[in-house]
Amino acid sequence: MSKFIIQVNGSVYGNSAGYHACRFARAALESGHQVIRVFFYQDGVTHSNSLLAPASDEFNQYDQWCQLAEQYSIELVNCVSAALRRGMLSAQEASENQQAHWNVTAPFTMGGLGELVTGIEQADRLICF
């Protein structure tokens, strides 16, 4: 069985990168492989926006990631620099930047490229979407 780290670069809506990444992760896990973590980079950090509110009959990518993380205890890590540039703030970053609101909550966490590098060291393969 292989160990994967998945990097998501595409935005939550506007392309299918996140959808395919989530489907790949689920299929890998159901096949007995291990997903060390999912790292959201560049526009991929928009997947962690807890304020997303698509219409009730539309696919909710945020909910899909949350279900996957809960079901398989997978780390969902945002690149903090990419996130801050795109207005994605956790409670800690909101406090540090004197902002009253935040839109990144658990199971998503903020991290740096170090999390990506340590994941790559542990994984057999890096899969980018």
Side-chain angles (χ1 to χ4, degrees), residues 73-129:
S73 300
I74 297 175
E75 291 180 67
L76 304 177
V77 180
N78 262 350
C79 172
V80 67
S81 297
L84 291 175
R85 286 187 201 107
R86 290 162 177 85
M88 307 299 301
L89 298 151
S90 68
Q92 180 179 345
E93 278 80 30
S95 175
E96 290 173 3
N97 290 286
Q98 293 84 43
Q99 298 292 320
H101 307 282
W102 56 89
N103 54 0
V104 177
T105 59
F108 290 89
T109 61
M110 297 294 213
L113 291 176
E115 276 79 7
L116 177 62
V117 171
T118 59
I120 290 170
E121 289 175 344
Q122 298 168 10
D124 298 316
R125 296 192 175 143
L126 166 68
I127 310 292
C128 298
F129 292 89

Side-chain angles (χ1 to χ4, degrees), residues 6-53:
I6 297 172
Q7 180 178 327
V8 180
N9 298 323
S11 67
V12 65
Y13 293 107
N15 65 52
S16 59
Y19 175 79
H20 291 296
C22 194
R23 297 274 306 188
F24 176 86
R26 185 171 292 283
L29 292 161
E30 289 172 354
S31 299
H33 299 287
Q34 183 179 358
V35 175
I36 295 171
R37 74 179 48 105
V38 180
F39 189 81
F40 298 90
Y41 190 54
Q42 299 174 338
D43 287 340
V45 297
T46 58
H47 288 258
S48 66
N49 187 349
S50 63
L51 299 178
L52 288 173

Side-chain angles (χ1 to χ4, degrees), residues 64-79:
Q64 293 299 310
W65 285 119
C66 292
Q67 290 171 11
L68 188 73
E70 180 180 330
Q71 185 175 358
Y72 293 102
S73 300
I74 297 175
E75 291 180 67
L76 304 177
V77 180
N78 262 350
C79 172

